[in-house]
Amino acid sequence: MPMFAHVDINNCYVSCETLFQPQLKGRVVVVLSNNDGCVIARSNEAKALGIKMADAEFMVRKNLRDNNAVIFSSNYPLYADMSARLMNNLARYTYMLMVYSIDEAFMALGNIHSLNLDEHADLITRNVMHDTGLSITLGIGPTLSLAKLANKAAKKLRRDYLVLDTEKKITEVVENFPIEDVWGVGLAYYKKLSEYNIATAADFRNQKADWVRQHMTVQGWRLHQELWGKPCNVIRDVAERSKGIESSQSFNSYQTRLEPIEEAVAMHAATVALKLRQQKSMALTLTIYLRTNKHNVKHDQHYPSITVKVPFAANSTHQFTRIAVQALRAIWQPGYNYLKTGIRATGIIPAGEVQYNLFNGYHNNREQRLAELMDDVNQRFGRGALKLAVEGFDKKWAMKQDYLSKKYTTNWKDIIITK
């Protein structure tokens, strides 16, 4: 029977920070999002205080101050580098690794007969800690869904790993496992399942396959089968459905004029296009959105968004910017105090699989040459050395990072020196 593993870093961003400042272990530590807006990572001590993910910083400021908390701004270069070290370490234990996000991955373990999976899981967690300094949780199961479920169950049990390699073990774990915590059960599914008094993974498993097929999509049926240990998803399929590429940021101050927001949207379009080129992918759709401050009840609220289908899959900065700016003009309305904007690319496919025709009018070769030129200049002289004029000429969109730590692994000046 093939087995799969799901691995994630415990309290990822906080773990990266405390790795280089071990004196902070046992303290209340939180990491804030872009522009120090809201909480996106918490130490266990912060969780015990009732601080939740996505809590606005100003709403928990007093609680943090009263408990002598340590606050960090997001240090993405550090987190990305530590993530890469983890993934390189995990690759030693599998013939197929899929990086699912910055702090989690799936591993294919294959048909393992003679291997003791508990000993193998213990070996992986201990070696990762030794080689990277990062604490991970590992779940193993016969399907991707059960591996993910095993990981979450291990966290609830405060264990480093959990192996679900027999029907008895699977049955015991799913019996009281909340359905809303099952991978793939979003808000819409949760509401629908609640209507039928389905509260646990066991309740869902006990439904007949025909009922699941009738009331849920194909993906819901796949999940049902996977909870019974029947693989319906493979790592390749998960990679194809992986999260889209997004760039967003809150403004330092409320924006009421269209022109400054256009500059920010153009910057996000360039960022998304660059990320696609770096992974040799293209996108079929772009979603552009605006947000007011939901916490400011004195202001009228407006959360417009628009999804635009790209005529032909692309990763061109010029094309993305043109589409994004036009889309922004369609959803922007005067009279609102906008606090955030962003772009999300979905429908991502490999660059080599794009199909064109004789009548598309899309000058692909020209767009690609321009993109390569911009990438080359920016790689040699620094990010933003060459950009489109619509992005503006100053650094007004630089993130607020009042609590930024050092770039311990990516900047020579910040490397720790031992004596």
Side-chain angles (χ1 to χ4, degrees), residues 331-343:
I331 63 174
W332 177 84
Q333 292 185 19
Y336 291 100
N337 295 283
Y338 291 110
L339 186 63
K340 183 178 182 179
T341 188
I343 295 178

Side-chain angles (χ1 to χ4, degrees), residues 291-306:
R291 299 286 184 269
T292 51
N293 185 358
K294 64 181 180 180
H295 300 292
N296 192 333
V297 295
K298 296 179 180 180
H299 292 167
D300 293 334
Q301 301 299 311
H302 193 218
Y303 310 111
S305 68
I306 186 171

Side-chain angles (χ1 to χ4, degrees), residues 147-167:
K148 180 89 170 180
L149 188 147
N151 187 302
K152 288 190 174 183
K155 289 182 181 294
K156 293 177 184 291
L157 297 170
R158 298 191 176 183
R159 294 175 54 178
D160 293 333
Y161 61 87
L162 181 64
V163 177
L164 302 180
D165 56 351
T166 67
E167 179 56 34

Side-chain angles (χ1 to χ4, degrees), residues 269-409:
T271 300
V272 168
L274 175 61
K275 290 181 178 179
L276 285 167
R277 293 195 296 272
Q278 288 174 336
Q279 67 178 40
K280 295 180 173 54
S281 298
M282 291 188 173
L284 291 166
T285 56
L286 292 179
T287 299
I288 296 87
Y289 58 86
L290 281 167
R291 299 286 184 269
T292 51
N293 185 358
K294 64 181 180 180
H295 300 292
N296 192 333
V297 295
K298 296 179 180 180
H299 292 167
D300 293 334
Q301 301 299 311
H302 193 218
Y303 310 111
S305 68
I306 186 171
T307 298
V308 181
K309 190 177 187 306
V310 181
F312 293 90
N315 58 17
S316 161
T317 297
H318 294 75
Q319 189 174 17
F320 276 17
T321 301
R322 184 165 56 250
I323 292 172
V325 170
Q326 290 176 351
L328 172 68
R329 292 171 181 171
I331 63 174
W332 177 84
Q333 292 185 19
Y336 291 100
N337 295 283
Y338 291 110
L339 186 63
K340 183 178 182 179
T341 188
I343 295 178
R344 180 177 176 83
T346 52
I348 297 172
I349 61 174
E353 296 182 7
V354 179
Q355 184 173 355
Y356 303 101
N357 61 54
L358 296 174
F359 309 102
N360 60 44
Y362 175 51
H363 304 292
N364 181 55
N365 291 334
R366 177 176 176 273
E367 295 281 356
Q368 291 302 312
R369 287 198 301 271
L370 284 172
E372 291 172 3
L373 172 62
M374 293 181 67
D375 292 345
D376 182 58
V377 171
N378 289 327
Q379 185 173 5
R380 292 170 59 190
F381 299 104
R383 178 82 178 270
L386 181 61
K387 59 184 179 181
L388 301 184
V390 69
E391 294 183 49
F393 296 98
D394 55 32
K395 298 182 178 180
K396 68 175 69 174
W397 307 123
M399 283 192 296
K400 175 184 177 183
Q401 295 178 306
D402 292 341
Y403 311 101
L404 187 64
S405 59
K406 295 181 179 180
K407 300 178 177 64
Y408 298 102
T409 64

